[in-house]
């Protein structure tokens, strides 16, 4: 992460009962604040239907949220991000691109978002290769969704929502953005 994002200027650690410690690092440049989890990839994510989880094999990931600096008190997103990062250990979910993750409350005070869409890895931070037989760590971007967008995504799918954002010129890093228009077909 340091190679791609620089040195973190702040970090917070949270431990949930029965889970490993999760840290959230903050990286700031002049215009964008990025929050990245650290610790989610310590254990591979296991298929919740598996009888026994493999301690080495399985997908590994960390989460990255990028927002424009100075437009909202986004530092309060540290706890919700740690909750999302702990969800594979707590709930047995496998976090993958196209998935929706919901925290049930605003991501930060006054945020119009209570959930995120997990984006495709490889854009901002490259995968981190680990020794075989371990899977690489993938750095998954989180795209904040309004409740209306999350509901629309459940019906139409992640790809359709991303196309709607693109067609509308939605700035997904704007911490105060409004929901994309969902009732009309994009041109």
């Amino acid at each position: 992460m340091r190679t791609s994002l620089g040195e973190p200027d702040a970090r917070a650690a949270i431990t949930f009962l029965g889970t490993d410690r999760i840290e959230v690092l903050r990286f700031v440049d002049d215009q964008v604040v990025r929050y990245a989890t650290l610790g989610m990839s310590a254990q591979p994510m296991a298929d919740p239907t598996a009888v026994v989880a493999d301690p080495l094999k399985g997908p590994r990931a960390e989460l990255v949220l990028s927002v424009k600096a100075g437009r909202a008190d986004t530092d309060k997103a540290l706890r919700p991000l740690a909750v999302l990062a702990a969800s594979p250990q707590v709930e047995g979910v496998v976090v993958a691109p196209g998935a929706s993750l919901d925290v049930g409350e605003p991501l930060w005070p006054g945020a119009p978002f209570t959930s995120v869409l997990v984006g495709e890895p490889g854009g901002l931070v490259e995968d981190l290769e680990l020794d075989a037989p371990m899977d690489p760590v993938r750095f998954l971007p989180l795209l904040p969704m309004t409740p209306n967008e999350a509901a629309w995504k459940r019906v139409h799918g992640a790809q359709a929502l991303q196309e709607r954002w693109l067609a509308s010129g939605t700035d997904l890093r704007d911490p105060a953005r409004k929901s994309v228009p969902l009732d009309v077909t994009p041109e």
Side-chain angles (χ1 to χ4, degrees):
M1 283 189 277
R2 286 185 169 122
T3 301
S4 298
L5 304 176
E7 287 295 319
D9 75 332
R11 67 188 327 144
I14 298 177
T15 303
F16 300 98
L17 185 62
T19 67
D20 294 331
R21 174 182 160 125
I22 302 288
E23 289 188 66
V24 180
L25 309 177
R26 183 181 68 187
F27 300 87
V28 180
D29 69 25
D30 292 340
Q31 299 171 8
V32 178
V33 178
R34 290 189 171 84
Y35 302 95
T37 64
L38 183 61
M40 179 177 168
S41 62
Q43 304 287 329
M45 293 180 274
D47 179 348
T49 62
V51 177
V52 177
D54 189 313
L56 296 176
K57 293 181 184 177
R60 295 173 188 264
E62 297 293 349
L63 308 174
V64 180
L65 173 68
S66 300
V67 293
K68 288 188 175 178
R71 297 195 179 175
D73 187 11
T74 56
D75 281 350
K76 301 288 191 217
L78 299 176
R79 182 168 177 72
L81 286 174
V83 168
L84 295 177
S87 63
Q89 289 182 50
V90 174
E91 299 173 20
V93 299
V94 176
V95 177
S100 298
L101 302 174
D102 195 318
V103 294
E105 61 185 37
L107 291 173
W108 53 83
F113 318 107
T114 60
S115 63
V116 294
L117 175 66
V118 180
E120 292 290 333
L124 185 61
V125 182
E126 291 184 26
D127 291 353
L128 175 63
E129 295 296 328
L130 300 175
D131 294 335
M134 294 185 284
D135 290 6
V137 177
R138 300 170 80 194
F139 295 87
L140 303 173
L142 299 180
L143 311 171
M145 293 188 294
T146 66
N148 286 343
E149 291 169 338
W152 198 84
K153 183 256 179 199
R154 281 191 295 278
V155 173
H156 299 282
Q159 182 66 34
L161 178 58
Q162 290 174 314
E163 289 171 5
R164 186 63 58 120
W165 283 336
L166 186 60
S168 296
T170 305
D171 182 357
L172 296 174
R173 295 183 301 179
D174 182 351
R177 75 172 179 82
K178 303 291 184 221
S179 182
V180 69
L182 299 169
D183 54 350
V184 296
T185 305
E187 304 286 322

